[in-house]
Amino acid sequence: RRSCAASLTVRDLGLPTPEPLAYLEVSRACSYIVHAWLPQVVSVRAWVRGHGRDWNESEWSALRREVLDFYLTPYQRGFYHDDTKALNILLDPAAPPGQRLWWIDVEGVIAGGRLTRYRILRNLAQLNGSLRSWVPERERLAFLRGVAWHFPWLHDPRVTERLRAGTRRRLLREVNRICGP
């Protein structure tokens, strides 16, 4: 129910998310939500992993700017997505820039909540870590500078180190979960 309500709310408030079509509750422990099919979409993570090796600097820059604008939109509209990783951002390569990205896993979206430094750093570590080493360091730092334009406290070099440490912790947890300690 929460996922369906979140999808409808996020859609109605102008954040791009697949259209919720149906909700089916089988039992208290088992329910399903059906979203509209988006042909040709892939996660940003899969897109970068599959295509990033072949990109030149201008192609990286274009994707970075597009993801940056998309990433900042919930903040600008008073939302916080608690699972902002590249797997939860879909990309439609056939759509024009500015209309290619979609949020999924929106049941963690918090409307009207206070946007704290912790939440911003958490989102940055989630996004940064979910892209692994497929994104060049210059693009990661340029993305951080773009976010820092809106949140000037991010310019502090200690913040960059804290973000790197948070990203490392996140990646180690993921590796340990998949491969074992």
Side-chain angles (χ1 to χ4, degrees):
R1 288 182 189 167
R2 176 158 169 64
S3 181
C4 186
S7 291
L8 291 168
T9 301
V10 165
R11 181 211 56 198
D12 291 347
L13 292 169
L15 292 179
T17 190
E19 181 76 23
L21 300 175
Y23 168 76
L24 174 65
E25 189 168 337
V26 178
S27 70
R28 285 183 82 50
C30 181
S31 61
Y32 302 93
I33 183 169
V34 178
H35 288 95
W37 177 253
L38 298 173
Q40 303 175 8
V41 299
V42 295
S43 71
V44 166
R45 178 181 168 145
W47 184 254
V48 168
R49 183 179 186 192
H51 297 86
R53 288 178 187 77
D54 303 327
W55 291 343
N56 61 39
E57 203 167 317
S58 67
E59 290 168 312
W60 274 112
S61 180
L63 181 66
R64 174 184 34 84
R65 286 191 309 271
E66 187 174 2
V67 171
L68 177 62
D69 289 343
F70 183 77
Y71 169 86
L72 290 169
T73 300
Y75 296 161
Q76 294 163 344
R77 296 192 182 165
F79 285 88
Y80 170 73
H81 192 302
D82 76 345
D83 200 9
T84 305
K85 57 188 176 192
L87 285 169
N88 290 335
I89 302 172
L90 299 181
L91 183 138
D92 180 353
Q99 299 174 9
R100 300 187 323 158
L101 300 174
W102 301 77
W103 286 109
I104 60 170
D105 197 14
V106 296
E107 61 269 6
V109 169
I110 300 165
R114 186 167 165 253
L115 186 59
T116 63
R117 289 180 180 198
Y118 171 80
R119 286 180 167 177
I120 293 168
L121 285 173
R122 182 172 187 256
N123 279 170
L124 286 168
Q126 289 169 335
L127 186 57
N128 195 32
S130 65
L131 290 168
R132 300 200 180 164
S133 62
W134 304 316
V135 176
E137 184 73 7
R138 72 176 185 281
E139 291 303 322
R140 292 173 188 273
L141 293 174
F143 187 88
L144 181 59
R145 283 191 304 273
V147 176
W149 192 83
H150 297 274
F151 305 103
W153 57 270
L154 285 168
H155 286 294
D156 185 335
R158 294 174 295 182
V159 172
T160 303
E161 279 312 308
R162 187 170 177 191
L163 178 59
R164 283 184 175 141
T167 299
R168 278 192 298 274
R169 279 192 306 275
R170 184 185 188 292
L171 288 172
L172 283 174
R173 271 195 316 268
E174 185 176 326
V175 166
N176 286 336
R177 184 179 51 82
I178 293 169
C179 302

